[in-house]
Amino acid sequence: MNQVSLLGFMKRYVAEPQLLDVSQLTLDEQKSIPKSWLSILALEGKERFNKALSYWQPLSAEMSEVLYYLHNNIVSIDLVHHQYGYCLVYGVISEDDPDITYYEARNPKTMQMSSAVADSWLLLPENMRQFYEQFHNGWYYFASVSMGLSPVEDFFFLADEEWGILEDIDMPPVDLSKTLAVYTNGAGGYLCFEFKDDDDPAALLWWKDEEPDLGLNFWNFADEWTLMGFE
């Protein structure tokens, strides 16, 4: 899929998308995106892809399967601009499908979190915060904003939504007001952290129509689900 086709693809999901080269940006516009992005976009081909993956270092152990797959299957990384600002779009191929699948990362320098999320931000794992603050504000399947780490703007506490499953659960096993969803599979499943007093956040899988799964390793599920999205 060439850049013209990519632009047509994006128009189905976001308003006024543009594909850009760094040379088209003013100095002020260049300052509005991370230096890491500029260093990536200064390169071409495999060098660009390898440079991008080097900035995933904070999550290299936690999402090792995803990074291994990306190392072998990235075919493009482009700078785009649309209704959510500047973003990087990764083109990823599958061994079984000739079509390119696109994943997007938003700009960490312009991320906007709600006051409730901001109050709990420092309770999230340090390497996750580092990834979001310095490199990518989420990384997810472009078309559905799912099957990857959500942008901060899409984080929400479970108490902020209505859940039909609560009718089947006598007592929710977690405090919905303290449980933050940070990853969705796009089909009613949410990877979450519950913030408990004086404890590290507990990971769980919340379902809209099933009882939740508690006591999970967050990164194992994030790695596995994202890999499933590729395949």
Side-chain angles (χ1 to χ4, degrees):
M1 186 180 286
N2 59 32
Q3 288 194 331
V4 173
S5 298
L6 172 56
L7 188 60
F9 170 83
M10 291 193 299
K11 286 180 178 177
R12 293 167 17 205
Y13 303 103
V14 293
E16 300 181 351
Q18 296 175 281
L19 278 168
L20 299 168
D21 187 271
V22 173
S23 63
Q24 296 174 269
L25 305 182
T26 66
L27 289 178
D28 284 342
E29 288 170 336
Q30 290 184 31
K31 291 177 182 178
S32 72
I33 60 178
K35 290 182 179 179
S36 57
W37 290 19
L38 295 175
S39 69
I40 292 166
L41 296 167
L43 303 172
E44 299 290 343
K46 272 289 186 181
E47 289 186 338
R48 176 178 291 193
F49 311 154
N50 290 338
K51 188 69 170 179
L53 293 179
S54 73
Y55 286 107
W56 284 71
Q57 184 60 33
L59 303 182
S60 60
E62 289 77 3
M63 300 194 74
S64 58
E65 294 297 325
V66 166
L67 293 182
Y68 180 80
Y69 191 95
L70 291 178
H71 178 77
N72 293 298
N73 294 283
I74 294 177
V75 294
S76 64
I77 297 178
D78 292 291
L79 178 67
V80 306
H81 186 277
H82 52 61
Q83 66 198 71
Y84 297 113
Y86 292 106
C87 302
L88 281 189
V89 173
Y90 292 59
V92 183
I93 58 172
S94 167
E95 296 175 357
D96 302 320
D97 188 342
D99 292 336
I100 299 174
T101 303
Y102 289 101
Y103 285 77
E104 181 176 70
R106 292 188 192 171
N107 184 357
K109 296 186 75 170
T110 56
M111 68 179 181
Q112 298 180 351
M113 61 183 74
S114 69
S115 58
V117 171
D119 288 343
S120 300
W121 182 250
L122 293 179
L123 301 176
L124 290 170
E126 182 179 0
N127 58 347
M128 181 177 178
R129 288 187 282 111
Q130 182 180 351
F131 181 78
Y132 272 80
E133 292 169 353
Q134 299 180 11
F135 188 43
H136 285 340
N137 174 15
W139 194 87
Y140 47 83
Y141 176 47
F142 189 103
S144 61
V145 195
S146 67
M147 296 304 287
L149 293 165
S150 299
V152 162
E153 290 80 3
D154 287 358
F155 286 9
F156 66 94
F157 284 91
L158 296 184
D160 296 336
E161 302 289 331
E162 295 185 3
W163 304 99
I165 187 62
L166 294 178
E167 298 177 2
D168 301 320
I169 301 175
D170 293 334
M171 178 66 70
V174 297
D175 185 339
L176 302 186
S177 67
K178 295 182 179 180
T179 303
L180 185 69
V182 300
Y183 184 123
T184 176
N185 68 354
Y190 302 88
L191 283 172
C192 307
F193 288 106
E194 182 184 17
F195 303 117
K196 299 182 178 181
D197 295 338
D198 301 323
D199 288 322
D200 290 332
L204 63 121
L205 180 52
W206 181 264
W207 298 99
K208 70 175 183 180
D209 52 8
E210 299 178 27
E211 291 196 16
D213 296 312
L214 307 180
L216 305 178
N217 182 306
F218 174 86
W219 292 113
N220 285 353
F221 270 82
D223 200 25
E224 180 181 346
W225 272 10
T226 306
L227 189 66
M228 288 171 57
F230 297 149
E231 300 173 343

